[in-house]
Amino acid sequence: MLNVSDLGEGTPILWIHGFPLSSAIYEDQLAIPGARHIMPDLPGFGQSRATGGDVTIDDYARMMIELLDHRGLDRAVIAGLSMGGYIALAIARLAPGRMRGLVLIDTRETPDDATAREGRFASIEKVKREGTAPVVEGMLPKMIVPEAPEALRARVRGIMESASPEGVMAALRAMAVRADSTQVLPTVAVPALVLVGDRDPITPPSDAEQMAAAIPGATLVRIPDAAHLSNMERPEEFNRAVSAFLARM
Ligand code: MLT
């Protein structure tokens, strides 16, 4: 069973978190009015237990579809940040009819190249030996801009430290072997919003531009002075963009 928070009333939005994070990254998005915010912790992250075995991005996508089933929702706006975006694009491929809209946040459609894939497997070995600390320390500087307030840095660190080694290793493997979603983008037939921090070093604005250009009618919004966690770094600008998108849907 996944830990899920389900708050608010209105257009259902399923918020899928990134790696190695949890649903807590979306706390500030609860302020977006007129929406029902469904925020799961993926297995091994936040307060959800790890599945204890290999998973794929498609498995995570199927868990999200099951979650919609359990909540009695035919369709929802599917929003995903980074790894959450990989999962959102898998939902777009596996169950396009379950999408009422698509929000891609600081993510990309392309798979890992050989170097990135090797890096993931090296990280898995490191987590086996040393736990999640090296992953947390390695990723924290890329998550938020260097001049971000200390309180935000502590919040992001705390969220990353809540991830279990099992969850982190499973997600690293899932991301390493994930499918190329390039062919999915032109098939998206629901309103789409692509958001990116204009200083994101992990999935830079060029990735977002490429995705927005390939999705029919997509809107691209750059969040100024934000890195990878644009929704936490600039919640007001981010929420304004999502609210405007919901109003247009
Ligand atoms: C994430 O934020 O989900 C990760 O940075 C994605 C990745 O490592 O590819």
Side-chain angles (χ1 to χ4, degrees):
M1 278 284 282
L2 298 182
N3 176 63
V4 181
S5 84
D6 187 341
L7 295 164
E9 279 175 30
T11 307
I13 309 184
L14 174 64
W15 296 95
I16 311 172
H17 66 77
F19 170 89
L21 299 158
S22 79
S23 61
I25 64 165
Y26 290 125
E27 209 176 283
D28 294 328
Q29 278 59 65
L30 290 172
I32 297 172
R36 176 176 169 188
H37 300 283
I38 302 156
M39 300 179 170
D41 287 332
L42 293 168
F45 295 93
Q47 293 173 55
S48 290
R49 298 240 309 263
T51 52
D54 286 350
V55 282
T56 62
I57 293 293
D58 283 10
D59 291 332
Y60 291 138
R62 282 186 277 268
M63 291 173 205
M64 297 298 99
I65 296 163
E66 256 174 51
L67 173 56
L68 295 182
D69 292 343
H70 285 150
R71 305 268 150 175
L73 289 167
D74 235 18
R75 298 197 309 153
V77 174
I78 308 293
L81 183 144
S82 204
M83 181 178 76
Y86 310 158
I87 298 167
L89 289 172
I91 296 172
R93 170 168 45 80
L94 295 171
R98 307 304 294 270
M99 288 197 311
R100 185 157 162 188
L102 177 64
V103 181
L104 297 170
I105 310 155
D106 294 279
T107 189
R108 60 162 58 98
E109 80 284 26
T110 49
D112 279 6
D113 61 18
T115 312
R117 205 171 297 131
E118 275 167 34
R120 306 263 196 212
F121 287 113
S123 293
I124 292 173
E125 293 309 312
K126 216 166 196 179
V127 174
K128 271 186 204 158
R129 290 193 308 269
E130 299 170 43
T132 62
V135 173
V136 172
E137 295 314 319
M139 290 197 73
L140 189 55
K142 298 185 225 161
M143 289 285 190
I144 52 178
V145 294
E147 70 273 22
E150 213 30 64
L152 177 61
R153 195 176 316 284
R155 210 174 129 206
V156 174
R157 182 193 290 279
I159 292 171
M160 293 205 284
E161 285 175 348
S162 74
S164 70
E166 294 76 20
V168 166
M169 289 189 285
L172 282 165
R173 186 190 164 280
M175 289 192 288
V177 302
R178 74 183 186 276
D180 186 351
S181 292
T182 304
Q183 303 305 323
V184 177
L185 301 179
T187 71
V188 173
V190 291
L193 173 65
V194 180
L195 293 143
V196 66
D198 69 353
R199 292 165 58 193
D200 184 347
I202 299 179
T203 48
S206 54
D207 287 342
E209 284 161 14
Q210 187 171 302
M211 286 191 298
I215 301 174
T219 303
L220 172 66
V221 176
R222 285 170 175 254
I223 306 293
D225 295 319
H228 197 52
L229 296 180
S230 57
N231 64 313
M232 293 181 80
E233 297 179 272
R234 298 277 157 204
E236 282 176 20
E237 288 88 338
F238 183 95
N239 288 358
R240 212 178 302 129
V242 174
S243 291
F245 172 71
L246 293 176
R248 281 197 309 274
M249 276 181 48

